[in-house]
Amino acid sequence: MPGLLFSPVCLTVIWFLSWSLCPSCAQIWTDEVSGEQYGHLESNVTLACNNSEIRLPVSWHLSHSTVLPWHQVTPNGSLVLLRVNHSAQGTYSCYDNSGRLLRSIKLRLGHPPGRLTISCQVPNHTHVRCSWVETVKTFLPAEYNASFSNGKEWSPCIVDVTQKHCDVVHPAFWQPIHTLRITETNALGSKNTTASVKLHELLKPDPPESVLVKELEGYPKKLLISWRFPSSWPQHDAFPLIFHIRYRPRGSIFWSEIYSLDNSIVIWDALAGHLHQVQVRTRDEINAESQWSEWSPLLLGRPWEDYTTPEPDVEPEDIFTLPTKSKPEASTPKSRGSKHGDEGNLGLVILLVLFSVVILTTIFSLIFVVWMRQRRRDHATKQELTSMVKMKSIPI
């Protein structure tokens, strides 16, 4: 009996019953292992239906839809997508003529890696952080491998994939030039990018911290400015810092500047009674080729001011007091007299104006009369000369 269960006839009956009762289970059993396939954008991508060389009529679906991008189907059932773009991404399914699922493929499209743009920051002598930016948008997940060389040997640069940077601890700072190599890899290829790094030129401390501006009591032209070393800078005498302080009255466009090796300083020439803007930055004192840090946030401070009220010089009994009794009626005659005086002044002004008008009229009249007389005389003289000329012209 057990041998009968494994006979060809019995196995055929069991397969037929499983197909009838659970077609979805049959699809799973006959399905090849689904997987991902990657393709280049703007190129042709071929999806194989199965690994069999038997030519079967098949149909392709994209995300359960029979609508496909621009394509061709080869005689062996492979699907060729032509000049694909992002819209061609998705899950492709291949079925035989009976509707049985033969294969399911998830297609992802993108580009192979390109060259990276690398930049490095050196906040102190013991730490280097290098970050990078893709020059080619690949649209695909990538892995990064980074290493750092001092010219003699390579050491790992610890990669943070999410932030796209790597860190080197305790680099050989005495070496003039270092080399960073980063390899980007995705499903379509890999690309190496190298960059030369000069640590002594890239050394740039973080800004000073906890900057404070305080007044000095009793000194209206002084300000006390204090700060702390950057927390990322090693507190060691072998790594001294120099500090650059600038300040100005608020509203001014000109800064006053001063340098210090300590972490506090007193300003002696502050403008009394005015708010001042203050900023501090720092740099490695020994390495002249290093960079200045960024300026600390802008702070405001005002010099000390004396707010006490000066005491009067007169004695209390000499202070003027208002009389207890007032006579408001006494102001009435004064105000009336003042009113009459104003009216009299107004009349005098009017008389003076009228008198001036009369005088001016008289003067203009006299000038007009004199001008008319002179004109008549000139006319008479002209007539006499004309007569004399006529008489001389008459023959005797």
Side-chain angles (χ1 to χ4, degrees):
M1 273 309 275
L4 182 61
L5 293 175
F6 294 98
S7 65
V9 176
C10 187
L11 290 174
T12 302
V13 172
I14 292 174
W15 177 85
F16 178 78
L17 290 175
S18 65
W19 176 267
S20 302
L21 296 176
C22 184
S24 61
C25 296
Q27 289 183 4
I28 295 174
W29 292 343
T30 58
D31 183 21
E32 293 190 10
V33 177
S34 299
E36 285 187 335
Q37 183 170 333
Y38 296 87
H40 295 257
L41 284 167
E42 304 300 328
S43 65
N44 298 341
V45 177
T46 301
L47 304 178
C49 183
N50 53 40
N51 296 328
S52 175
E53 296 295 332
I54 301 175
R55 298 183 178 182
L56 298 174
V58 296
S59 62
W60 285 90
H61 292 181
L62 172 58
S63 302
H64 306 290
S65 173
T66 58
V67 180
L68 300 175
W70 186 26
H71 68 282
Q72 293 178 351
V73 179
T74 63
N76 65 352
S78 296
L79 177 67
V80 180
L81 302 174
L82 306 174
R83 303 291 297 174
V84 292
N85 55 31
H86 286 289
S87 64
Q89 294 188 118
T91 302
Y92 289 82
S93 302
C94 176
Y95 299 88
D96 63 10
N97 55 359
S98 65
R100 184 178 55 156
L101 178 64
L102 300 177
R103 192 179 186 191
S104 179
I105 307 170
K106 184 177 181 181
L107 178 63
R108 300 187 65 174
L109 300 172
H111 296 289
R115 186 172 180 82
L116 302 175
T117 300
I118 300 174
S119 61
C120 295
Q121 295 79 41
V122 186
N124 55 57
H125 295 80
T126 63
H127 181 208
V128 179
R129 170 166 291 180
C130 296
S131 57
W132 57 86
V133 178
E134 299 174 348
T135 58
V136 176
K137 185 68 175 176
T138 64
F139 303 102
L140 298 175
E143 294 181 354
Y144 298 93
N145 184 18
S147 54
F148 198 76
S149 171
N150 58 9
K152 297 181 179 180
E153 57 183 2
W154 291 90
S155 58
C157 187
I158 303 172
V159 175
D160 185 336
V161 177
T162 58
Q163 301 295 327
K164 293 185 178 180
H165 67 237
C166 69
D167 296 278
V168 179
V169 181
H170 298 292
F173 217 91
W174 59 88
Q175 293 291 338
I177 299 178
H178 293 70
T179 302
L180 175 68
R181 181 177 62 200
I182 302 175
T183 302
E184 180 184 5
T185 305
N186 65 17
L188 299 180
S190 63
K191 178 71 175 180
N192 290 327
T193 303
T194 59
S196 297
V197 181
K198 297 181 179 180
L199 299 183
H200 60 286
E201 293 182 1
L202 295 177
L203 180 61
K204 181 180 180 179
D206 292 328
E209 300 174 359
S210 302
V211 182
L212 296 175
V213 182
K214 296 181 180 180
E215 64 179 28
L216 291 176
E217 186 175 357
Y219 297 93
K221 292 186 177 182
K222 292 183 181 181
L223 282 173
L224 173 62
I225 304 173
S226 61
W227 56 88
R228 293 181 181 177
F229 279 54
S231 57
S232 59
W233 192 262
Q235 301 292 323
H236 196 281
D237 293 339
F239 307 110
L241 288 173
I242 184 172
F243 297 93
H244 180 196
I245 305 96
R246 67 179 185 180
Y247 58 95
R248 66 182 179 186
R250 189 169 68 172
S252 174
I253 62 174
F254 301 104
W255 291 96
S256 297
E257 299 179 342
I258 194 170
Y259 296 86
S260 175
L261 297 176
D262 298 324
N263 60 351
S264 66
I265 196 170
V266 176
I267 294 176
W268 295 75
D269 57 349
L271 192 60
H274 287 74
L275 278 174
H276 287 68
Q277 298 173 331
V278 178
Q279 287 183 302
V280 185
R281 65 177 181 175
T282 188
R283 194 196 71 186
D284 185 278
E285 181 192 2
I286 299 175
N287 183 7
E289 294 182 340
S290 63
Q291 302 179 33
W292 284 101
S293 72
E294 300 296 328
W295 288 103
S296 64
L298 195 67
L299 287 182
L300 294 177
R302 188 191 301 271
W304 175 84
E305 292 181 288
D306 186 7
Y307 294 101
T308 57
T309 304
E311 296 182 358
D313 296 335
V314 296
E315 296 295 331
E317 59 270 14
D318 295 335
I319 299 176
F320 176 76
T321 57
L322 294 173
T324 56
K325 294 183 180 181
S326 60
K327 297 181 180 180
E329 64 276 6
S331 62
T332 304
K334 184 177 180 180
S335 60
R336 289 179 180 176
S338 174
K339 183 176 181 180
H340 290 306
D342 293 340
E343 292 177 353
N345 292 335
L346 181 60
L348 180 60
V349 171
I350 293 173
L351 289 175
L352 290 174
V353 171
L354 292 175
F355 180 74
S356 300
V357 170
V358 172
I359 294 297
L360 290 174
T361 304
T362 303
I363 292 173
F364 283 120
S365 300
L366 290 174
I367 293 172
F368 181 74
V369 170
V370 171
W371 178 74
M372 288 297 294
R373 288 182 177 179
Q374 185 65 31
R375 186 177 180 184
R376 288 177 181 177
R377 288 178 182 176
D378 293 341
H379 183 67
T381 304
K382 186 176 180 180
Q383 288 181 347
E384 290 178 357
L385 291 174
T386 303
S387 299
M388 292 176 66
V389 170
K390 288 180 178 181
M391 291 177 66
K392 287 182 180 182
S393 63
I394 296 174
I396 300 175

